[in-house]
PDB file of all heavy atoms in Angstrom:
ATOM      1  N   VAL A  31      13.700  11.852   7.830  1.00 96.00           N
ATOM      2  CA  VAL A  31      13.108  13.151   7.475  1.00 96.00           C
ATOM      3  C   VAL A  31      13.658  13.633   6.127  1.00 96.00           C
ATOM      4  O   VAL A  31      12.903  14.119   5.271  1.00 96.00           O
ATOM      5  CB  VAL A  31      13.405  14.192   8.578  1.00 96.00           C
ATOM      6  CG1 VAL A  31      12.889  15.569   8.162  1.00 96.00           C
ATOM      7  CG2 VAL A  31      12.766  13.756   9.893  1.00 96.00           C
ATOM      8  N   VAL A  38       9.180  13.823  -1.605  1.00 95.00           N
ATOM      9  CA  VAL A  38       8.087  14.773  -1.817  1.00 95.00           C
ATOM     10  C   VAL A  38       8.468  15.814  -2.852  1.00 95.00           C
ATOM     11  O   VAL A  38       7.676  16.115  -3.763  1.00 95.00           O
ATOM     12  CB  VAL A  38       7.694  15.439  -0.477  1.00 95.00           C
ATOM     13  CG1 VAL A  38       6.779  16.643  -0.734  1.00 95.00           C
ATOM     14  CG2 VAL A  38       7.015  14.454   0.445  1.00 95.00           C
ATOM     15  N   PRO A  55       3.369  26.861 -21.857  1.00 75.00           N
ATOM     16  CA  PRO A  55       3.963  26.577 -20.548  1.00 75.00           C
ATOM     17  C   PRO A  55       3.383  27.458 -19.439  1.00 75.00           C
ATOM     18  O   PRO A  55       3.100  28.630 -19.641  1.00 75.00           O
ATOM     19  CB  PRO A  55       5.449  26.869 -20.773  1.00 75.00           C
ATOM     20  CG  PRO A  55       5.492  27.799 -21.931  1.00 75.00           C
ATOM     21  CD  PRO A  55       4.347  27.427 -22.809  1.00 75.00           C
ATOM     22  N   ASP A  60       1.677  27.761 -10.456  1.00 84.00           N
ATOM     23  CA  ASP A  60       0.330  28.178 -10.868  1.00 84.00           C
ATOM     24  C   ASP A  60      -0.716  27.311 -10.176  1.00 84.00           C
ATOM     25  O   ASP A  60      -0.706  26.081 -10.323  1.00 84.00           O
ATOM     26  CB  ASP A  60       0.219  28.051 -12.393  1.00 84.00           C
ATOM     27  CG  ASP A  60      -1.037  28.713 -12.943  1.00 84.00           C
ATOM     28  OD1 ASP A  60      -2.053  28.746 -12.213  1.00 84.00           O
ATOM     29  OD2 ASP A  60      -1.006  29.179 -14.098  1.00 84.00           O
ATOM     30  N   LEU A 214      -3.383 -17.575  -9.267  1.00 65.00           N
ATOM     31  CA  LEU A 214      -2.677 -17.124 -10.463  1.00 65.00           C
ATOM     32  C   LEU A 214      -2.706 -18.187 -11.550  1.00 65.00           C
ATOM     33  O   LEU A 214      -2.877 -17.874 -12.735  1.00 65.00           O
ATOM     34  CB  LEU A 214      -1.226 -16.764 -10.115  1.00 65.00           C
ATOM     35  CG  LEU A 214      -1.043 -15.548  -9.202  1.00 65.00           C
ATOM     36  CD1 LEU A 214       0.421 -15.355  -8.845  1.00 65.00           C
ATOM     37  CD2 LEU A 214      -1.574 -14.280  -9.892  1.00 65.00           C
ATOM     38  N   TRP A 294      -4.206  -0.375 -22.975  1.00 61.00           N
ATOM     39  CA  TRP A 294      -3.563   0.885 -23.363  1.00 61.00           C
ATOM     40  C   TRP A 294      -2.668   1.451 -22.255  1.00 61.00           C
ATOM     41  O   TRP A 294      -1.519   1.800 -22.491  1.00 61.00           O
ATOM     42  CB  TRP A 294      -4.629   1.903 -23.730  1.00 61.00           C
ATOM     43  CG  TRP A 294      -4.087   3.275 -24.028  1.00 61.00           C
ATOM     44  CD1 TRP A 294      -4.001   4.336 -23.165  1.00 61.00           C
ATOM     45  CD2 TRP A 294      -3.551   3.737 -25.272  1.00 61.00           C
ATOM     46  NE1 TRP A 294      -3.459   5.430 -23.790  1.00 61.00           N
ATOM     47  CE2 TRP A 294      -3.167   5.088 -25.087  1.00 61.00           C
ATOM     48  CE3 TRP A 294      -3.355   3.145 -26.522  1.00 61.00           C
ATOM     49  CZ2 TRP A 294      -2.601   5.845 -26.102  1.00 61.00           C
ATOM     50  CZ3 TRP A 294      -2.794   3.903 -27.540  1.00 61.00           C
ATOM     51  CH2 TRP A 294      -2.427   5.235 -27.330  1.00 61.00           C
ATOM     52  N   GLY A 310      17.621   8.901 -19.482  1.00 84.00           N
ATOM     53  CA  GLY A 310      16.378   9.609 -19.688  1.00 84.00           C
ATOM     54  C   GLY A 310      16.456  10.638 -20.802  1.00 84.00           C
ATOM     55  O   GLY A 310      17.533  10.972 -21.294  1.00 84.00           O
ATOM     56  N   THR A 317       8.312  12.666 -24.402  1.00 74.00           N
ATOM     57  CA  THR A 317       7.285  12.745 -25.452  1.00 74.00           C
ATOM     58  C   THR A 317       6.008  12.013 -25.061  1.00 74.00           C
ATOM     59  O   THR A 317       4.898  12.446 -25.377  1.00 74.00           O
ATOM     60  CB  THR A 317       7.813  12.172 -26.777  1.00 74.00           C
ATOM     61  OG1 THR A 317       8.304  10.839 -26.546  1.00 74.00           O
ATOM     62  CG2 THR A 317       8.954  13.014 -27.315  1.00 74.00           C
ATOM     63  N   VAL A 324      -0.149   8.348 -21.642  1.00 64.00           N
ATOM     64  CA  VAL A 324      -0.428   7.549 -20.441  1.00 64.00           C
ATOM     65  C   VAL A 324      -1.451   8.274 -19.576  1.00 64.00           C
ATOM     66  O   VAL A 324      -1.162   9.338 -19.027  1.00 64.00           O
ATOM     67  CB  VAL A 324       0.852   7.307 -19.616  1.00 64.00           C
ATOM     68  CG1 VAL A 324       0.556   6.367 -18.442  1.00 64.00           C
ATOM     69  CG2 VAL A 324       1.946   6.731 -20.494  1.00 64.00           C
ATOM     70  N   LEU A 359      13.473   2.316   8.683  1.00 97.00           N
ATOM     71  CA  LEU A 359      12.281   2.142   9.513  1.00 97.00           C
ATOM     72  C   LEU A 359      12.311   0.808  10.267  1.00 97.00           C
ATOM     73  O   LEU A 359      11.841   0.732  11.408  1.00 97.00           O
ATOM     74  CB  LEU A 359      11.009   2.245   8.661  1.00 97.00           C
ATOM     75  CG  LEU A 359      10.690   3.646   8.119  1.00 97.00           C
ATOM     76  CD1 LEU A 359       9.483   3.587   7.192  1.00 97.00           C
ATOM     77  CD2 LEU A 359      10.445   4.636   9.248  1.00 97.00           C
ATOM     78  N   GLY A 401      -5.108   1.180  -8.924  1.00 76.00           N
ATOM     79  CA  GLY A 401      -5.232   2.532  -8.394  1.00 76.00           C
ATOM     80  C   GLY A 401      -4.556   2.760  -7.067  1.00 76.00           C
ATOM     81  O   GLY A 401      -5.154   3.309  -6.129  1.00 76.00           O
TER      82      GLY A 401
END
Side-chain angles (χ1 to χ4, degrees):
V31 176
V38 168
D60 191 330
L214 293 175
W294 175 265
T317 54
V324 185
L359 290 175

